[in-house]
Amino acid sequence: MNDVVELRGVTESDVLAFFEHQRDPESTWMAAFTAEDPTDRVAFLLKWTKILTDDTSVTRTVLFNGYVVGHVLAFVEFGAPEVSYWIDPRYWGMGLASAALRLFLDEVVTRPLYARAAKDNYGSLRVLEKCGFLVVGEDQGFAEGRGEEVEEYILRLE
């Protein structure tokens, strides 16, 4: 059987899987700009209710061989369209984030499209680069996932 990465609409049970993904300490540290308390299920569910009812966002569940392994979404941040994704760390290094983001970018054709990643999140920066994003700026902010100020790159896809 060939390994297959697919996207589909987000279901309620997917959100519960996303919650489990975000609870991983390494993932939270790497993503940096996360929830204040990644173990707060109520806050997480409220956040996702808001995301899923926002008409300006596009959300998709990432499936790998039929299993929920993450999500990808586009939303408006700082007045501009931005993309974000999260992959279960058990599936890191397999090319799933790149494959999922490519599929998503075929669907979400808004350009320019922005992304942000902590400067030391080399995996995410590589995913974005492979999908055509280029660094266009830098920023810094308090990252709940690390409990400190973190520098990040701002990337753009034309």
Side-chain angles (χ1 to χ4, degrees), residues 49-59 74-76:
T49 298
K50 183 178 176 184
I51 290 169
L52 293 172
T53 57
D54 180 353
D55 292 338
T56 65
S57 69
V58 178
T59 58
F75 55 98
V76 176

Side-chain angles (χ1 to χ4, degrees), residues 22 27-36 47 77-78 82 84 86 116-121 139-153:
Q22 98 152 1
S27 294
T28 300
W29 188 89
M30 191 60 69
F33 298 93
T34 62
E36 182 177 352
K47 174 186 169 187
E77 182 79 357
F78 305 114
E82 191 166 313
S84 180
W86 193 295
R116 292 169 174 262
K119 284 186 174 183
D120 61 356
N121 188 342
D139 199 3
Q140 182 174 323
F142 186 80
E144 296 288 354
R146 298 186 186 179
E148 64 186 13
E149 290 284 316
V150 171
E151 293 180 340
E152 65 181 338
Y153 286 120

